[in-house]
Amino acid sequence: MKNILLTLSFIFSFLFSQAQFVFDPFDFKLNDTTLAIKPDSIAFAEPLTAMFDNTYVWFGLFPNTNTAVKMVVEHDLLYLNSESAIDDNNKVYVPVSNQDSLIYFRIRIIENGKVVKEHDGSEMMSVVEESTRYKQMAVEGLKKGQMLEKLIITLHNYSDSGWMTIQKSYPVRKSLFTLRCPATVQFVLKMYPNNITFNDTVLNNTDRYQFANIGKIEPIIDESYSMTQSQKTRIEFALSQNFSTNKKFNSWAEKGRNRLEFLMTTEKSEIKYISKLIKNQGWDKLSGKEQLFAVENYLKNTINISKDYPYMEDVEKMFKAKYGDEYSILRVYIMIYQELGIPWEIAYSVVRSKKKFDADFPSPSFIEDPLFYFPSYKLFTDPVDRALRVGEISSLYLGQKAMFVKPILLGDQWSGVTRIDKIPVNKTEDVSRDYKINVTWDAENKMTVHTTYHGNSYADDGRKILYTIAGEEKAKEVIEEQIRNERKEGVFKIVSSENHNVNDFKEYYLPFVLSYQWETEEYIEQNGENLLVKYGELIGPQVQMYDKLERQNIIQSYYPHIHTSEVRIAIPEGYTAQGFENKNRQLAFKDQDGNDLFGIDIKVELLGNEIVMKIREYYSKIEYPVSDYMNFREVINAAADINKYTLLLKKK
């Protein structure tokens, strides 16, 4: 009898868990089922736990409009077991872009199995933070030990793909993902980083449900040198086929061809306008990289581009309006390149801080951003980023795969040939950040720090565009605050700056040079007649990685680079120097083929009447496996230990 009861219990539990995948976004309401859920000893051990976190995605026709849309239902139950959990959840944010709308919102505060407070969203306000639009609502009166249940339903314009992040900064006890669509179509789904099997069920010959009971999800750990968002567990989905038409959609070739054919559809009047523009600007008199630079520089200073702007069908109207979306500006670039006879390709990708490009999953979510590639020069350019010019793209694309589309003329029609290829990574020596620091003393032993900084390529730290957009005075103000780094004492002065005009072809590719001096007592401590000089702090604060937890994520950096510093400290008259001895250190790590990975070389010595410290630190890749972490951390901490170096200037 006991075995029969256990079997029946198992069957009932299985059927109940499978039945959870059936949902209707227009009739999804909170009920009393969640009131029976109680936290246990495992939840009591965590500051915050999701007892469940379920996501439902619906594709279909919106009632009474016959418009294809996507709806997303998010339903979770949080157990709040700390003040930090309350602080993190006393405001609810719902990202809502211009194309999205919030159609249903409910929050319940549950205590001892009873609802003590409920919100219907009528108190929500619209806010914009870091260029993202949100609906926001304050949840008042939360207490430790309570449950917070949220049900959010959003309406989106139709798209044949998408992705949902399902890993949080706190543990999730149970997770369910379901996609519902008409039975006549099918999506392909994939979970990252570890894929699972999704069930596929058709009910009533009308609706297809593709779902997975994912179960427990461990929290993501935010680690140094890790692009955390890209490491989170997520689910990607893309339309695969339409059974009623026997059409398949999961092909890079089709996606590349469709995009290029759309972009290369032009009117004779547009070509005429572009030809006139080329002659007026004199681009036909230029060649090579300078020609590419001139075109890009003009367009970026003439037209404002944003994904939120409307698509401009007519080129002339866009130039008059001086704004457009990225597809509008892509068409302009292409028409100009075609008229000038410049070979080009488009490389579509996505920033690696968001996700890693998967060549085996042809989804539009991996081809969000367009770049131009010029095969004759082996150069890339970003047609949208105002801060960059040909030859430089955001470091977040480096090493990322992309969908390259090459234009090809078939008869009298343009089409595209597609391939998946990798965007190359810069050489280590191509990006360098160099400091020359000299310390002098006046008659009263007050210190003046003279610094000259050279930063080329990515190592200009965004200061070139700051000068160009904000102007010299504002740029100096911002840079001073960066350099002071919370040190408010002393007289600071920028002496000179060079090569900061982004709009000048020759100047753009030269290293940014900044000279500044600082009269300060921040690095000095009086010790009787002697002086303690914290000369290791002159190189600026360094990242420390003294963590004891086992590394979870791969090591990621923005770009390979070299960082050098040379610090020269004049010894004041009447003093001798101590404390610089035995500071030399050298670490150099290579891969199994003998290629450089990362390292640091520190040398401190007395040369004449100066203490001279030379540092060379380098990182030769943008990504390292977890197995390299201990060595990587040793190099990082060796640089951080320099901040502890102290010089004793002893009175003779």
Side-chain angles (χ1 to χ4, degrees), residues 440-452:
T440 59
W441 309 84
D442 66 8
E444 298 177 352
N445 288 334
K446 290 185 178 179
M447 171 191 284
T448 299
V449 182
H450 308 265
T451 302
T452 300

Side-chain angles (χ1 to χ4, degrees), residues 531-533 535 571 576-581 611 646-650:
L531 299 174
L532 291 174
V533 182
Y535 71 101
I571 300 174
T576 59
Q578 297 178 7
F580 63 89
E581 305 88 351
I611 300 296
T646 302
L647 189 68
L648 174 63
L649 296 179
K650 194 170 183 179

Side-chain angles (χ1 to χ4, degrees), residues 40 42-43 46 49-54 166-168 170-176 191 194 196 212-219 233:
D40 54 17
I42 299 176
E46 299 288 344
T49 301
M51 304 306 293
F52 65 78
D53 190 344
N54 299 333
I166 59 174
Q167 189 174 24
K168 315 294 183 181
Y170 46 85
V172 177
R173 299 290 296 278
K174 295 180 181 179
S175 178
L176 170 72
M191 190 171 83
N194 301 311
I196 59 173
N213 284 302
I214 300 162
K216 185 178 180 182
I217 303 177
E218 297 293 342
T233 301

Side-chain angles (χ1 to χ4, degrees), residues 105-327:
F105 180 90
R106 289 291 185 276
I107 281 183
R108 297 196 302 189
I109 301 175
I110 301 170
E111 188 173 356
N112 298 323
K114 296 181 180 180
V115 178
V116 297
K117 198 168 185 179
E118 190 165 356
H119 296 275
D120 62 3
S122 57
E123 309 158 48
M124 299 195 84
M125 300 173 57
S126 296
V127 296
V128 178
E129 293 185 6
E130 297 182 355
S131 302
T132 302
R133 299 177 186 274
Y134 295 93
K135 291 283 189 178
Q136 172 202 296
M137 192 195 76
V139 185
E140 298 179 353
L142 289 177
K143 295 189 299 184
K144 181 180 176 181
Q146 290 180 332
M147 300 269 206
L148 180 64
E149 184 180 15
K150 294 180 289 183
L151 175 59
I152 301 169
I153 304 178
T154 50
L155 175 67
H156 308 258
N157 285 348
Y158 175 80
S159 63
D160 59 6
S161 67
W163 60 291
M164 304 289 295
T165 299
I166 59 174
Q167 189 174 24
K168 315 294 183 181
S169 59
Y170 46 85
V172 177
R173 299 290 296 278
K174 295 180 181 179
S175 178
L176 170 72
F177 182 89
T178 303
L179 185 149
R180 176 185 169 186
C181 62
T184 54
V185 300
Q186 186 179 44
F187 282 75
V188 58
L189 298 95
K190 190 172 182 179
M191 190 171 83
Y192 298 81
N194 301 311
N195 197 17
I196 59 173
T197 300
F198 288 85
N199 297 283
D200 191 332
T201 300
V202 175
L203 298 181
N204 303 320
N205 294 320
T206 57
D207 296 298
R208 181 181 301 278
Y209 290 87
Q210 296 175 260
F211 64 95
N213 284 302
I214 300 162
K216 185 178 180 182
I217 303 177
E218 297 293 342
I220 189 74
I221 298 176
D222 193 5
E223 298 174 311
S224 298
Y225 293 95
S226 175
M227 298 177 184
T228 305
Q229 179 62 39
S230 68
Q231 305 300 315
K232 288 183 178 179
T233 301
R234 72 180 193 277
I235 294 175
E236 296 270 354
F237 45 93
L239 184 62
S240 175
Q241 56 187 319
N242 187 326
F243 296 104
S244 62
T245 61
N246 291 321
K247 184 174 177 60
K248 294 187 176 182
F249 300 95
N250 54 341
S251 161
W252 289 122
E254 181 188 49
K255 288 175 171 56
R257 181 173 60 252
N258 288 343
R259 291 199 179 189
L260 200 71
E261 288 176 356
F262 168 75
L263 290 171
M264 296 195 71
T265 301
T266 57
E267 299 293 335
K268 290 182 179 180
S269 59
E270 293 181 309
I271 300 300
K272 183 178 179 181
Y273 182 86
I274 291 298
S275 296
K276 185 177 179 181
L277 177 66
I278 289 172
K279 290 183 179 180
N280 289 342
Q281 296 299 320
W283 296 332
D284 53 338
K285 303 294 192 299
L286 302 175
S287 62
K289 191 175 180 180
E290 186 175 8
Q291 184 183 54
L292 297 173
F293 181 96
V295 171
E296 180 180 11
N297 192 62
Y298 175 82
L299 293 179
K300 287 183 175 179
N301 285 308
T302 303
I303 301 175
N304 292 313
I305 303 300
S306 171
K307 291 184 178 181
D308 293 331
Y309 290 159
Y311 171 67
M312 304 291 282
E313 292 186 18
D314 186 271
V315 168
E316 186 173 356
K317 288 182 179 179
M318 184 176 68
F319 274 93
K320 288 180 179 178
K322 297 186 182 302
Y323 69 85
D325 73 343
E326 63 181 24
Y327 287 104

Side-chain angles (χ1 to χ4, degrees), residues 546-565:
Y546 298 111
D547 52 275
K548 296 180 180 179
L549 296 175
E550 184 177 349
R551 181 75 178 190
Q552 181 188 72
N553 300 316
I554 60 173
I555 305 159
Q556 295 168 296
S557 63
Y558 288 98
Y559 42 80
H561 66 282
I562 298 173
H563 186 133
T564 65
S565 297

Side-chain angles (χ1 to χ4, degrees), residues 262-505:
F262 168 75
L263 290 171
M264 296 195 71
T265 301
T266 57
E267 299 293 335
K268 290 182 179 180
S269 59
E270 293 181 309
I271 300 300
K272 183 178 179 181
Y273 182 86
I274 291 298
S275 296
K276 185 177 179 181
L277 177 66
I278 289 172
K279 290 183 179 180
N280 289 342
Q281 296 299 320
W283 296 332
D284 53 338
K285 303 294 192 299
L286 302 175
S287 62
K289 191 175 180 180
E290 186 175 8
Q291 184 183 54
L292 297 173
F293 181 96
V295 171
E296 180 180 11
N297 192 62
Y298 175 82
L299 293 179
K300 287 183 175 179
N301 285 308
T302 303
I303 301 175
N304 292 313
I305 303 300
S306 171
K307 291 184 178 181
D308 293 331
Y309 290 159
Y311 171 67
M312 304 291 282
E313 292 186 18
D314 186 271
V315 168
E316 186 173 356
K317 288 182 179 179
M318 184 176 68
F319 274 93
K320 288 180 179 178
K322 297 186 182 302
Y323 69 85
D325 73 343
E326 63 181 24
Y327 287 104
S328 306
I329 197 66
L330 286 177
R331 292 183 66 244
V332 174
Y333 275 102
I334 289 171
M335 282 186 272
I336 293 172
Y337 295 152
Q338 288 292 100
E339 287 297 294
L340 290 172
I342 299 172
W344 59 273
E345 299 176 9
I346 290 186
Y348 285 97
S349 193
V350 61
V351 291
R352 54 192 171 90
S353 58
K354 186 180 290 186
K355 63 180 76 172
K356 189 172 184 177
F357 190 103
D358 185 355
D360 298 324
F361 195 87
S363 169
S365 73
F366 291 106
I367 48 176
E368 293 182 349
D369 308 321
L371 305 170
F372 278 109
Y373 175 63
F374 306 102
S376 299
Y377 310 105
K378 296 184 178 180
L379 295 174
F380 288 84
T381 194
D382 187 327
V384 176
D385 194 328
R386 189 180 174 188
L388 301 175
R389 299 294 183 267
V390 61
E392 291 189 354
I393 55 177
S394 168
S395 62
L396 292 175
Y397 297 115
L398 301 179
Q400 188 73 301
K401 288 185 178 179
M403 180 184 77
F404 286 74
V405 191
K406 178 181 178 180
I408 183 172
L409 189 61
L410 300 176
D412 59 352
Q413 296 294 323
W414 284 101
S415 187
V417 176
T418 302
R419 73 181 190 280
I420 303 300
D421 209 341
K422 182 176 283 189
I423 298 172
V425 180
N426 64 278
K427 296 178 181 179
T428 310
E429 59 271 18
D430 290 341
V431 181
S432 61
R433 188 179 285 106
D434 305 309
Y435 288 88
K436 303 288 186 184
I437 303 170
N438 290 278
V439 175
T440 59
W441 309 84
D442 66 8
E444 298 177 352
N445 288 334
K446 290 185 178 179
M447 171 191 284
T448 299
V449 182
H450 308 265
T451 302
T452 300
Y453 154 86
H454 287 71
N456 69 331
S457 187
Y458 301 118
D460 74 3
D461 297 329
R463 290 169 177 173
K464 281 190 177 183
I465 192 64
L466 181 62
Y467 267 88
T468 303
I469 293 178
E472 185 171 352
E473 291 306 313
K474 185 65 177 179
K476 285 182 177 180
E477 182 181 333
V478 173
I479 291 172
E480 177 180 345
E481 183 63 23
Q482 292 173 346
I483 293 171
R484 281 177 176 270
N485 196 43
E486 302 304 323
R487 297 178 184 274
K488 303 302 181 185
E489 301 298 326
V491 179
F492 182 92
K493 178 184 178 182
I494 292 181
V495 178
S496 64
S497 59
E498 303 172 32
N499 308 327
H500 50 64
N501 186 359
V502 170
N503 299 317
D504 183 273
F505 173 66

